[in-house]
Amino acid sequence: MKIILGVAATFGILCIRQCSSFHINNVFKMSNIMEGSSNMLPNSNRREFVGKLIFGIGIAAPFSPEKSLAVEYAQSIPTEKAATSAGRRGCKTVTTPSNTIVTCTGDILTTAQNPEGRLSKVSATENGVSTSSVKNPTRYSPPWSYLTETSDSGAAWNSLIKNVNKVPGAQIVKVTDSYLHATVPTEFPPGDGPDYFDDLEFVLKADDNLVLYRGASKSSNFVYPLTQPVSDRNTNLKRLEKIRDSLGWGLMGQQQTGSNRI
C-alpha cells in the first residue's frame, strides 16, 4: 500500500508542471480511490491497476493555458542566470504552464552600454541576425557595402533611411548621421500588443564604406519542452535582404540562410 501511495504522490508532483490545480486535486482524490480499489484486487493485479489508472489520469487531463495563470516578473540586468534570456538585457518574462514569453528592450545600442558603437549580437535565446554575431553562424549576416550605388556616404545613408521608411509598418525611433533605429511589427510567430515588434538597427562606417546592422525580435516564445525559441522563419533576415536588394548594395561575405529551427 505504501508503494501505491508513493506512486500517486510522485505523479502529483510531476503534474504540477503541466496540470492546473483542478487536475492536481483530482490526482489526490484518485489516490484515495486507488487505496480502496486496489485492496479488492489480487496482489498480482495491483501493479497493473495502478499503472493503468495513473496513465488514464494523464491522458484525461488536457490543459488549456489561461492568462490568469500567467506569472510576470522582471529579470535583473544582466540576465545570464535565466536560461530563456541568457545573453540579453532588460528582460521581462511572462510564464504560463504551456509557454514562456521573454521580451527584452535593453539590447538596443546605447553609449552607456557600448561606447565603441558596436551593435549587440543576437543570442541563441532570440530570433534575428546581426553583423556582430560572428561566432554564431545562424545569427550572423555580413556587412553591406554601398559602393555599388555611390561613394558618397551621406547619399548612401539617405537612401537607406528612405528604404527603411518603405518597410510595411516601420516606425523610425531614432536617426542620426550614423545611426538608425526603427521598429517593425513581428511577422512570426504572430502576437498582439506592444511587445511584438522587431528592432532594426543600422550603423554607418563611412571610413570603410560599410553599413553594419542588426534585425531581431524583441520577444521570444518558448514552448515546453523546447529549449530554444520558436523560430521567426528567418523573417528578420529576409526583411533585411529585401532592403539591401532595393538599395542594390553589395554583401561583404557569403549570403546567409539563417536558422532551420521550427
Side-chain angles (χ1 to χ4, degrees):
M1 195 62 251
K2 291 182 179 180
I3 295 176
I4 295 174
L5 293 177
V7 171
T10 301
F11 177 79
I13 293 172
L14 292 175
C15 185
I16 292 174
R17 294 187 61 179
Q18 300 184 44
C19 300
S20 66
S21 59
F22 172 77
H23 295 139
I24 295 172
N25 290 334
N26 283 345
V27 169
F28 287 103
K29 289 179 181 179
M30 291 303 296
S31 68
N32 293 330
I33 296 173
M34 287 162 57
E35 180 176 0
S37 300
S38 62
N39 285 332
M40 299 170 61
L41 298 173
N43 290 335
S44 60
N45 293 335
R46 288 183 183 180
R47 183 176 299 176
E48 181 181 358
F49 170 80
V50 172
K52 289 182 178 179
L53 185 56
I54 290 178
F55 179 77
I57 295 171
I59 296 299
F63 176 78
S64 56
E66 300 178 4
K67 292 184 179 180
S68 60
L69 297 176
V71 178
E72 184 175 326
Y73 56 94
Q75 292 289 347
S76 60
I77 302 175
T79 56
E80 284 80 2
K81 292 184 179 180
T84 54
S85 55
R88 306 188 68 184
R89 302 178 180 89
C91 298
K92 174 186 69 176
T93 300
V94 176
T95 299
T96 71
S98 63
N99 71 336
T100 294
I101 297 177
V102 179
T103 302
C104 302
T105 57
D107 296 323
I108 301 302
L109 177 62
T110 62
T111 303
Q113 171 191 312
N114 196 335
E116 297 179 356
R118 184 180 179 86
L119 294 171
S120 297
K121 64 182 181 179
V122 176
S123 73
T125 58
E126 61 183 316
N127 288 312
V129 293
S130 172
T131 51
S132 297
S133 299
V134 293
K135 294 183 179 180
N136 189 342
T138 63
R139 306 295 201 281
Y140 172 74
S141 191
W144 297 344
S145 170
Y146 52 78
L147 290 178
T148 52
E149 179 199 8
T150 178
S151 59
D152 185 335
S153 61
W157 191 242
N158 287 332
S159 294
L160 176 62
I161 295 171
K162 290 178 181 178
N163 276 272
V164 170
N165 272 318
K166 293 179 182 178
V167 176
Q171 295 288 332
I172 292 183
V173 178
K174 180 180 180 180
V175 61
T176 69
D177 57 358
S178 60
Y179 175 74
L180 169 63
H181 173 214
T183 59
V184 185
T186 300
E187 294 182 33
F188 196 88
D192 296 321
D195 294 339
Y196 287 92
F197 281 87
D198 300 342
D199 287 310
L200 282 174
E201 292 183 280
F202 300 91
V203 171
L204 174 66
K205 295 292 184 182
D207 293 341
D208 301 318
N209 300 313
L210 297 176
V211 168
L212 308 180
Y213 54 89
R214 174 180 174 270
S217 301
K218 292 180 182 293
S219 296
S220 299
N221 187 356
F222 296 83
V223 179
Y224 180 83
L226 298 180
T227 57
Q228 287 194 337
V230 175
S231 173
D232 67 344
R233 296 182 178 176
N234 297 315
T235 52
N236 282 285
L237 175 60
K238 292 175 181 177
R239 183 188 297 119
L240 286 162
E241 282 298 297
K242 286 182 180 179
I243 295 174
R244 185 180 68 83
D245 288 342
S246 65
L247 289 165
W249 290 2
L251 193 64
M252 301 301 292
Q254 184 176 358
Q255 187 168 359
Q256 302 299 297
T257 58
S259 171
N260 294 320
R261 294 177 293 111
I262 60 174

